[in-house]
Amino acid sequence: KAGVTQTPRYLIKTRGQQVTLSCSPISGHRSVSWYQQTPGQGLQFLFEYFSETQRNKGNFPGRFSGRQFSNSRSEMNVSTLELGDSALYLCASSPDPNRVLSYGYTFGSGTRLTIV
Amino acid sequence: GQQLNQSPQSMFIQEGEDVSMNCTSSSIFNTWLWYKQDPGEGPVLLIALYKAGELTSNGRLTAQFGITRKDSFLNISASIPSDVGIYFCAGSDTNAGKSTFGDGTTLTVKP
C-alpha cells in the first residue's frame, strides 16, 4: 500500500516567487492536513481539508493557501515568498477527520523548500 | 492558542538505559499522540491515547494520558541505537483534523 507522497522533495525558490506543493494521500484517505516544520517554530498547523472543503486553518498569512481535489490529492500554494518561508512542509492523511482519533495521521516525507 | 511544553529538549543516554519524556498543555486535549521523526522523513505515529488515565504500550514504549487531560508521558525501556531521533507529542481535539505539536525531544543513544 503506497504511503503519502509529496512532490517535489526539494525546491529552491527566490524571494517574491510563488510555489505549489503537492500531496497525494494514502488511497482511501479523504482528510489531508498540512504542517510547516522549522527549527525555531517546530511543527505548525497550516490547514486541513476533507472532501474538497477546508475544515481548519492555522495562523498563517493569506499568502498560504491550499485546495483539495475530488481524488483527495491536495496542493498548497505560497505566494510572494519570503526568506522565513524556508521550511520542511509536511502533509498528513487520515481516513476522515473523525477517525483521526483512531489512526492519527500518516505523514509524507515532506518537501524541503529553500528561499534564497 | 493551545501550546504544548515538551521536555526535555534533548537527551544523551547509554544503550540499555530507560528514557522518559513528557508533555504538558495549558489546554485540555481529547487525544494525545506520540510520534518519532527520523532525519529527512515525516513523523511516524508510535502511540495514540484516547482516554484520561489510559496507559498504553507498544513494545518497549509505554505512554500515559494524564488524568487532567493536560499532560502525557512517553517511556522507552532498554534503549537501542535505532531509537535515535526526534520524539514529538501532539494533542488533538475531538473532531479536528489538526494537531498541536510539542517542540520535540531529540534522543541520542550511545552504543
Side-chain angles (χ1 to χ4, degrees), chain B residues 36-92:
Chain B
K36 180 189 177 209
Q37 186 175 27
D38 292 324
E41 299 297 326
V44 174
L45 181 67
L46 299 174
I47 290 181
L49 301 158
Y50 313 117
K51 293 182 186 177
E54 179 182 1
L55 185 71
T56 298
S57 293
N58 178 7
R60 294 179 296 107
L61 277 60
T62 302
Q64 184 155 31
F65 192 150
I67 288 291
T68 65
R69 292 196 285 158
K70 290 185 177 181
D71 63 308
S72 177
F73 73 74
L74 174 70
N75 287 342
I76 305 173
S77 62
S79 58
I80 59 179
S82 62
D83 290 336
V84 164
I86 304 177
Y87 291 80
F88 290 97
C89 63
S92 182

Side-chain angles (χ1 to χ4, degrees), chain A residues 2-16:
Chain A
V4 178
T5 303
Q6 290 189 248
T7 57
R9 281 300 304 269
Y10 302 93
L11 201 50
I12 299 176
K13 290 284 190 177
T14 57
R15 280 180 296 175

Side-chain angles (χ1 to χ4, degrees), chain A residues 4-11 19-24 34 73-76 89 91 108-112:
Chain A
V4 178
T5 303
Q6 290 189 248
T7 57
R9 281 300 304 269
Y10 302 93
L11 201 50
V19 68
T20 299
L21 310 181
S22 178
C23 172
S24 293
W34 288 89
R73 190 178 71 85
S74 178
E75 289 181 346
M76 66 164 281
Y89 289 88
C91 85
S109 297
T111 294
R112 173 72 63 186

Side-chain angles (χ1 to χ4, degrees), chain A residues 9 31 33 35 37 41-43 45 48 55-57 88 90 97-98 100-110, chain B residues 30-31 33 35 37 40-45 48-50 86 88 92-103:
Chain A
R9 281 300 304 269
S31 175
S33 298
Y35 291 83
Q37 186 174 26
Q41 298 295 319
L43 274 147
F45 172 77
E48 181 233 344
R55 284 174 49 96
N56 286 292
K57 190 176 190 305
L88 179 67
L90 292 160
N98 293 323
V100 163
L101 302 183
S102 297
Y103 295 93
Y105 298 107
T106 300
F107 280 87
S109 297
Chain B
N30 291 309
T31 300
L33 306 165
Y35 291 89
Q37 186 175 27
E41 299 297 326
V44 174
L45 181 67
L49 301 158
Y50 313 117
I86 304 177
F88 290 97
S92 182
D93 294 329
T94 303
N95 61 352
K98 68 174 184 176
S99 292
T100 301
F101 279 78
D103 290 336

